[in-house]
Structure formats: structure tokens, C-alpha cells
């Protein structure tokens, strides 16, 4: 998939989000989770301080904003929050669709911290952490996000078939 096709998929994702996608962090987690269910965004991920992160996605988002196919506004709160909405320019590849609409509807309104925990669980599972070992590593990596563990583990089981014994 070339950059234009990747950006077209990102634009489609934003279009499916009623209020746009609030925060770069959330964007990274959503795309990662969709990719892990088989939706092709052709992004490469590494594990970073805030969980899964894609340098290629960061570059594609910046490029989409530069080309005005995505718009970004910044809200100043306790921190800068980027809000992505559709830009004014059209992009070739408009016929590209996203298949996982049910999953988007389940994830789009979740808090970024919840998505951070869920994507960390999926990432650890993909790197062969299982059961109690996965829980232990999750606690090590995301100790401040404990309030999200139960719901994220439940969703990991239901959406990603990750079984974790506690």
C-alpha cells in the first residue's frame, strides 16, 4: 500500500468518527487495534512510553494535515489535545473502505487511556505473553491505569480472543 492509500484509509476512519478523532494517542491505538483484527492500514508499530506507537502513522498524519485532507485543531487543557477532522482537499483512493465498522463503533468513544491499556494487552499477547505473565507485564508497564484493567481484559477476550486468567 502506498502513502496515498494509507492516508485515504485514515481519512475514512476520521469520516466514520462523528466528532473526529480526539488525540494523536487515540489515533495510534485505534489504528493498531483495527489492524490487529485484520483491517489493513499498513502501519508498523513499536512499543513506546504511551503504549503502541507507529512512526509511519505519525508521518502519515502530518502529511495528511500538510495536504489538507485532514484538519487538526488543538485544544489547550492540561495538555495539548489534537482533534482530527476531514480536511477540504480530496484524496485519490476515495473508494477505499473500512470493513470493521462494528469495531470502530465499539472503540471510538472510549477514552485514550482505556485504549492504551487494551492495545497494550493485545500487543503483549502478540509477543507471546499469556495468562498471569501478561497481567504481570501489564501491571509493570501501566501501573497508573489499573482502573481500566477489568474492562480492557474483558474487551480483549471478546474482540481479540485473548484469554487471561487473573
Amino acid at each position: 500500500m502506498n502513502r496515498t492509500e494509507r492516508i485515504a484509509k485514515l481519512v475514512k476512519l476520521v469520516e466514520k468518527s462523528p466528532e473526529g478523532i480526539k488525540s494523536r494517542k487515540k489515533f495510534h491505538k485505534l489504528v493498531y487495534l483495527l489492524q490487529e483484527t485484520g483491517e489493513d492500514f499498513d502501519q508498523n508499530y513499536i512499543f513506546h512510553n504511551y503504549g503502541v506507537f507507529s512512526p509511519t502513522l505519525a508521518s502519515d498524519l502530518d502529511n495528511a494535515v500538510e495536504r489538507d485532507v485532514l484538519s487538526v485543531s488543538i485544544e489547550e487543557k492540561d495538555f495539548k489535545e489534537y482533534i482530527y477532522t476531514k480536511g477540504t482537499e480530496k484524496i485519490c483512493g476515495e473508494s477505499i473502505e473500512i470493513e470493521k465498522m462494528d469495531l470502530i463503533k465499539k472503540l471510538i468513544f472510549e477514552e485514550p487511556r482505556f485504549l492504551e491499556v487494551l492495545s497494550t494487552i493485545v500487543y503483549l499477547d502478540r509477543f507471546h505473553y499469556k495468562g498471569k505473565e501478561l497481567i504481570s507485564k501489564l501491571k509493570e508497564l501501566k501501573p497508573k491505569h489499573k482502573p481500566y484493567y477489568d474492562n480492557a481484559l474483558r474487551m480483549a477476550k471478546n474482540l481479540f480472543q485473548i484469554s487471561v486468567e487473573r
Side-chain angles (χ1 to χ4, degrees), residues 3 12 18 45 54 65 69-70 76 99-100 107 110 147 153 158 166:
R3 175 175 251 179
K12 282 293 182 190
Y45 279 86
S54 171
V65 170
V69 294
L70 287 180
E76 295 283 347
E99 303 296 323
K100 306 289 182 177
L107 297 176
E110 296 290 349
L153 287 164
N158 293 336
R166 292 196 72 170

Side-chain angles (χ1 to χ4, degrees), residues 8-162:
K9 289 278 288 215
L10 300 177
V11 170
K12 282 293 182 190
L13 180 56
V14 168
E15 286 176 349
K16 304 297 183 190
S17 308
E19 300 170 355
I21 296 179
K22 295 182 180 180
S23 96
R24 292 172 69 92
K25 184 163 110 174
K26 186 171 189 171
F27 219 128
H28 282 265
K29 301 339 173 213
L30 282 171
V31 171
Y32 175 76
L33 292 167
L34 288 166
Q35 268 192 189
E36 286 301 313
T37 61
E39 187 72 51
D40 185 16
F41 282 89
D42 196 27
Q43 300 294 339
N44 300 311
Y45 279 86
I46 59 172
F47 198 81
H48 193 266
N49 187 42
Y50 294 109
V52 294
F53 173 80
S54 171
T56 54
L57 176 57
S59 176
D60 286 348
L61 287 173
D62 290 343
N63 189 268
V65 170
E66 286 171 15
R67 293 167 61 180
D68 200 28
V69 294
L70 287 180
S71 294
V72 66
S73 58
I74 302 173
E75 275 186 21
E76 295 283 347
K77 296 180 182 178
D78 296 335
F79 59 94
K80 287 183 180 180
E81 179 177 65
Y82 296 82
I83 302 170
Y84 290 91
T85 53
K86 190 164 183 326
T88 59
E89 296 296 318
K90 291 203 179 278
I91 186 166
C92 47
E94 290 281 333
S95 63
I96 289 177
E97 282 301 322
I98 295 178
E99 303 296 323
K100 306 289 182 177
M101 283 307 300
D102 290 342
L103 183 57
I104 292 171
K105 289 176 185 174
K106 288 178 182 164
L107 297 176
I108 200 67
F109 295 108
E110 296 290 349
E111 293 179 54
R113 287 183 183 144
F114 172 82
L115 294 175
E116 185 176 337
V117 172
L118 178 60
S119 62
T120 298
I121 292 167
V122 173
Y123 188 87
L124 291 172
D125 178 75
R126 301 310 189 247
F127 278 87
H128 309 291
Y129 285 87
K130 304 292 179 197
K132 291 178 181 172
E133 184 184 29
L134 187 148
I135 297 291
S136 176
K137 191 67 172 175
L138 177 65
K139 288 177 179 178
E140 176 188 326
L141 294 171
K142 303 292 169 195
K144 294 179 181 177
H145 293 30
K146 189 174 183 177
Y148 301 98
Y149 289 3
D150 289 339
N151 287 336
L153 287 164
R154 192 172 14 268
M155 193 174 277
K157 180 179 181 183
N158 293 336
L159 296 178
F160 299 93
Q161 291 72 49
I162 297 171

